[in-house]
Amino acid sequence: MKKLLMSFFLISLVLLQACVDSGESQMSKEELSIDYEKMTLPNGLDVILHQDKSDPIVAVAILIHAGSDREKPGRTGFAHFFEHMLFQRSENVPEGAFFKNINEWGGTFNGGTWTDGTVYYEVVPKDALEKVLWMESDRMGYFINSVTTASLEGEKPVVQNEKRQRYDNVAYGNTSAVINKALYPPSHPYNWLTIGELEDLQNATLDDVKEFYEEYYGPNNATLVLTGDFDKESTKKLIEKYFGEIPSRGTDKPLDPQPVKLDSTIQIYHEDNFASLPELRLTWPTVEQYNKDQWALDVLGDILSDGKRAPLYKVIVEEGELAPDVSAYNSSNELAGTFTIRVRANAEVNLDTVKTEVFAALAKFEKEGVNQKDLDRIKAGLETNFYNGISSVLGKAFQLATYNEFAGSPDYVKTDIKNIKAVTAEDVKAVYDKYIKGKHYILTSFVPKGQTALAVGSSAKADIKEEAIVQNEQTAVVDQEPSDDYARTESSFDRTIEPEFGEAPLLTPPTIWTSELSNGMNVYGIEATELPLVNFSIRIDGGHKADDPNKVGVAYMITDLMMEGTKNKTPEELEDAIGQLGANVNMYTSNDAITISANCLSRNYDSTLALVQEILLEPRWDSKEFERIKKAAVNRIQQRDVNPNSLAAMVMDVKLYGKDNILGKPIAGTIESIESITLDDMKAYYNKYFSPSIANFHLAGNISKDKVKSSVASLGENWASKEVSFPELKSNPVPETPQVYFVDVPQAKQSVIQIARLAVSGNGEDYFPLTVANYRLGAGSGGRLFQVLREDKGYTYGAYSYVERNPYMGAFVASSSVKSNVTLEAMEAFKEVIGTYAETYTDEDLEKTKNALIKQNTRKFETLYSLVGILQTISEYDLPLDYIDKEQETLQNMTVEDVQGLVQKYMDLNKMTYVIVGDKETQLERLKVDGIGSPQLIDKTGEATEPSM
């Protein structure tokens, strides 16, 4: 399953580490908690229940207190590999059921492993609760007999592909591995990454699986959390039924902290095949999680790097102009912790210079200390971010499980908040002196190929194993049907019988109201009173599609520039104003719009809206910030242009839309276009395209309709409307024969494959029906592409297809990243699955699609973010307020013949454009075979680099 980074898994904890303001607060620590009931079964399983009946859905999360820290040297990556194994089958749940069932029930699911634990989770309509408990309990207590050598060997290529995709085929992907091996001794559980080594994964045995399961997957080493809409008493009985008879087993004692110290500073460098820019990291050992110093170290990271006054920002970004940004952060895990400063420098910047300036910034901090205003700003977001973290049932489940398993009680959130609030400037300075000042560290210089002169001097070469691309190497899953000939663990009832659905969930869509301002701007709103939060956005039509073809990047950069101060506020003052409200304000550009969005506490809505209005109507046009933003844009382009996935997307756009269509040009522009842009170009774009006549306001939250209408009236009065028109967008015609292109990334460990064609506009009559037709092909892990390319063949970590939704003509896209040596075979598999999809589509496929898509609607209205998204969809595509109901009506009336017709119309392989980004030396010649045609070798702009064959 998709590996969840610890920072994502612990989202609520991270959010909680943002703190409160120093002034009077309207909250109490009792308010910032979650109601729950906890019980412990006789077998030791901790069960936590939290009812939330706002939506007819439930979340189930099971946290196993075993991550890569429970592994042995030579068997690295096994905890994560074991997580994969548990998604295959168990003794009473058939092969592939986890992938297929949850999707068909209208839910979502995943799992994640990190250094200290593994989590499995589902969010489903409430009627599927018992089914989920049945499946989860079966793999906790009734799994091991179903594991065979064939299933073990079959999953190895999938995990190996994940490692290539996430670490080996991306820039700076091996940095953490290098740091960990230098920082921790070989016997320390943090010496290796959670993903492990390819060699160790290949050597995993059936005995390893059995040993790990018996030792760490007992109920006594786990926490089960259930949140959402359920009856508490009947649910307790179900949990006791399915989990109560699983016997305790193995280890349930947490490991003791194992902090480390360095005897000397270690400097290491690496020539990174995928990097275009030099990157410096300095890493100091610190403390384990919940150590008394952790909270001050967390704040120290923000003080050093976050904000206009931060010393690292001042010295590295603003004064030295060495990098577009800099980050510093503490990471405390169960056994040990680290403090990191990371600088991804501008092109050709010598990292010795960066290192010197990092220590100059630290000297500045030592001299000036902690600015109280920064400490207040950093703390001010606690309440807002706490509520954001628990806005979904899954967020609540994660928080309750994490605190229970690692801190001993779900209530530890109160202690966490108390400790964060108590951090003082003196505490921050004390931990700096204790762990950073004058202490030894690990320094890594990751530099582009051929630029070792940029690495910090006297650095040793990193020991990184580069995987060779071996043609004809066995990579496919062993062709062996799973056997049901195994002993089943005894149970008090027949676990082979899948439970029935519960009572069908009743969905009550939120009431949407609309209004219009005096300047013509439309207002869309939903009142949602569950949490004291508000999310709102102003979406202005235009964005990239309004760019001058000779000045591409103006729209992309203008949103960054407009967030750097206003007419009456310097960049620093604007940052402070937003921060003191504990609000989050963002501005971004897409192909077809510019959007400014905000998230805040309900009581701070008026003040936040006033700031958003000031940003929108009174831009500062700060020339100093403009030059910094230009440099940052160039930095991002340089990174984009060596990223295989970005290259595939850029080339596909130019081939689908054409080089003369603005949509065929990258939204961030090119280095040449960015360097040509002036501040006057930004002002001209603003004056031409910022108008309420092409804008809409969207809001969801704990604010009444009347209050919203009153608050936005000033926007109607102060923002004058004007006529706006956009250039006509003419796309390339859909080809009548396959168009195949290859982009070379030397030594790429994976090939990125994209197959696409222009299909439908987002408000066209075929858009929604085509998404229905695509569902069983590639909409998730239950789709045929995933099942064939990952599960059957073992070529990839995942394969998907989707229909883009745009106001203009959007594309049907199928894509995957596959191991390099099976590029041709993966292409053939794509062609086979897509090419036979129409003729093999059945009544059962359509029935399961209808059931899944209808039930998915139970999850569409859960968060304020999703509600604002619905409002934006309505305004952008001029849809009726009840468009979701109308889509359900369309869905119910669709026939197999309708789906087949759509597939034949929009998924004809002969009308597709194929883009492959990979290693030319080993793969290009193999692709020159009959079928789709010989690939044309092209560069990142889509231009041919050699004559076509």
Side-chain angles (χ1 to χ4, degrees), residues 186-460:
S187 60
H188 195 289
Y190 291 173
N191 174 267
W192 52 88
L193 294 184
T194 301
I195 196 70
E197 298 289 349
L198 288 174
E199 181 181 356
D200 291 351
L201 292 171
Q202 189 58 46
N203 292 335
T205 68
L206 200 57
D207 286 340
D208 292 325
V209 174
K210 293 179 178 180
E211 179 185 352
F212 202 85
Y213 182 73
E214 293 298 332
E215 188 68 19
Y216 300 117
Y217 269 70
N220 45 309
N221 196 40
T223 294
L224 165 65
V225 179
L226 178 61
T227 61
D229 186 4
F230 59 88
D231 177 78
K232 191 176 290 187
E233 294 309 312
S234 61
T235 298
K236 287 180 183 178
K237 293 177 181 178
L238 289 176
I239 291 172
E240 289 168 354
K241 171 184 176 180
Y242 286 106
F243 290 89
E245 65 179 4
I246 300 173
S248 302
R249 63 179 188 271
T251 298
D252 56 16
K253 185 174 183 250
L255 294 171
D256 293 328
Q258 300 177 41
V260 295
K261 290 185 178 181
L262 289 170
D263 296 326
S264 63
T265 291
I266 300 172
Q267 299 186 158
I268 308 170
Y269 81 92
H270 174 61
E271 285 185 88
D272 193 320
N273 186 57
F274 300 96
S276 59
L277 301 170
E279 180 183 277
L280 179 78
R281 293 197 198 189
L282 294 91
T283 303
W284 288 265
T286 58
V287 296
E288 72 280 2
Q289 65 184 4
Y290 309 133
N291 181 287
K292 63 182 180 61
D293 288 338
Q294 176 204 321
W295 294 274
L297 282 163
D298 291 339
V299 174
L300 173 64
D302 288 329
I303 291 291
L304 288 177
S305 65
D306 184 31
K308 299 295 183 182
R309 284 184 295 268
L312 285 168
Y313 179 89
K314 277 286 187 187
V315 174
I316 303 289
V317 178
E318 189 174 289
E319 297 170 3
E321 299 183 355
L322 300 175
D325 52 50
V326 59
S327 60
Y329 51 91
N330 181 61
S331 178
S332 289
N333 296 320
E334 187 175 21
L335 306 185
T338 57
F339 189 90
T340 301
I341 294 176
R342 183 189 71 87
V343 183
R344 188 165 297 165
N346 294 324
E348 300 182 5
V349 169
N350 190 291
L351 294 181
D352 269 310
T353 302
V354 177
K355 175 187 174 184
T356 298
E357 294 305 298
V358 165
F359 282 97
L362 295 181
K364 179 180 175 69
F365 170 73
E366 293 171 18
K367 179 181 178 181
E368 299 177 356
V370 178
N371 186 301
Q372 187 62 43
K373 188 179 289 188
D374 285 325
L375 191 57
D376 292 344
R377 176 179 56 80
I378 290 168
K379 290 182 176 183
L382 173 61
E383 190 174 0
T384 307
N385 290 331
F386 171 82
Y387 288 120
N388 285 331
I390 63 168
S391 62
S392 68
V393 290
L394 186 59
K396 295 174 185 177
F398 281 170
Q399 178 173 299
L400 291 167
T402 301
Y403 282 124
N404 185 74
E405 198 62 46
F406 293 102
S409 170
D411 266 341
Y412 194 81
V413 60
K414 297 177 182 178
T415 302
D416 208 356
I417 293 172
K418 177 183 176 182
N419 290 341
I420 297 165
K421 289 169 63 178
V423 172
T424 66
E426 291 73 23
D427 294 331
V428 176
K429 185 62 167 56
V431 294
Y432 171 81
D433 291 341
K434 185 175 181 180
Y435 299 102
I436 311 300
K437 184 178 179 180
K439 301 301 186 291
H440 295 300
Y441 53 88
I442 306 295
L443 180 149
T444 57
S445 302
F446 271 54
V447 296
K449 281 285 188 181
Q451 299 184 31
T452 56
L454 300 181
V456 171
S458 302
S459 293

Side-chain angles (χ1 to χ4, degrees), residues 837-884:
Y837 185 51
E839 64 190 67
T840 57
Y841 194 88
T842 65
D843 287 321
E844 181 183 9
D845 286 319
L846 182 58
E847 190 59 33
K848 288 184 175 181
T849 297
K850 289 180 177 181
N851 183 66
L853 293 180
I854 288 172
K855 288 192 172 185
Q856 278 182 12
N857 286 336
T858 59
R859 297 186 284 115
K860 282 188 175 180
F861 310 113
E862 185 185 11
T863 66
L864 298 184
Y865 177 84
S866 60
L867 293 177
V868 169
I870 288 171
L871 297 178
Q872 289 184 167
T873 298
I874 290 171
S875 69
E876 182 175 1
Y877 299 104
D878 194 24
L879 300 176
L881 301 184
D882 63 345
Y883 82 95
I884 293 178

Side-chain angles (χ1 to χ4, degrees), residues 475-690:
T475 59
V477 175
V478 177
D479 187 16
Q480 178 179 329
E481 290 295 321
S483 172
D484 290 331
D485 185 19
Y486 50 80
R488 283 177 167 79
T489 306
E490 288 188 12
S491 175
S492 62
F493 62 97
D494 188 351
R495 288 179 176 264
T496 64
I497 300 175
E498 179 179 328
E500 298 293 327
F501 281 109
E503 184 179 352
L506 297 176
L507 180 65
T508 305
T511 300
I512 299 173
W513 59 264
T514 62
S515 183
E516 184 177 338
L517 302 185
S518 58
N519 59 8
M521 184 167 71
N522 291 317
V523 180
Y524 299 79
I526 295 174
E527 185 174 358
T529 58
E530 180 185 355
L531 295 171
L533 290 175
V534 175
N535 280 28
F536 65 90
S537 73
I538 299 172
R539 185 186 180 280
I540 306 166
D541 195 14
H544 178 46
K545 73 181 181 184
D547 258 333
D548 180 339
N550 299 312
K551 298 277 188 178
V552 180
V554 169
Y556 178 75
M557 290 197 300
I558 198 171
T559 49
D560 287 341
L561 183 59
M562 289 180 67
M563 287 300 298
E564 297 296 340
T566 66
K567 183 179 179 180
N568 298 309
K569 289 185 177 66
T570 66
E572 188 176 298
E573 289 169 342
L574 178 61
E575 180 180 79
D576 284 340
I578 295 170
Q580 295 300 333
L581 292 172
N584 302 295
V585 179
N586 298 289
M587 199 171 186
Y588 57 92
T589 303
S590 64
N591 272 341
D592 46 88
I594 282 176
T595 304
I596 184 167
S597 63
N599 157 248
C600 62
L601 294 168
S602 303
R603 68 173 184 266
N604 292 335
Y605 163 70
D606 285 333
S607 298
T608 305
L609 177 62
L611 285 176
V612 167
Q613 180 172 320
E614 187 175 345
I615 292 166
L616 187 61
L617 303 186
E618 302 177 57
R620 183 175 183 84
W621 306 124
D622 191 291
S623 58
K624 183 179 178 181
E625 293 294 339
F626 172 66
E627 293 302 325
R628 179 187 64 79
I629 287 168
K630 282 183 66 172
K631 288 184 174 69
V634 169
N635 183 291
R636 286 192 289 265
I637 290 169
Q638 289 166 330
Q639 296 181 67
R640 177 200 70 191
D641 287 355
V642 296
N643 181 291
N645 289 291
S646 297
L647 288 172
M650 284 197 306
V651 168
M652 184 61 79
D653 281 345
V654 73
K655 294 305 180 182
L656 292 182
Y657 293 104
K659 64 181 181 180
D660 295 327
N661 186 324
I662 194 67
L663 299 177
K665 302 179 186 296
I667 188 171
T670 64
I671 293 175
E672 294 75 20
S673 69
I674 294 298
E675 289 178 342
S676 74
I677 294 170
T678 67
L679 196 53
D680 285 340
D681 294 325
M682 311 291 274
K683 295 176 182 178
Y685 184 100
Y686 176 86
N687 291 329
K688 187 174 183 179
Y689 292 115
F690 275 61

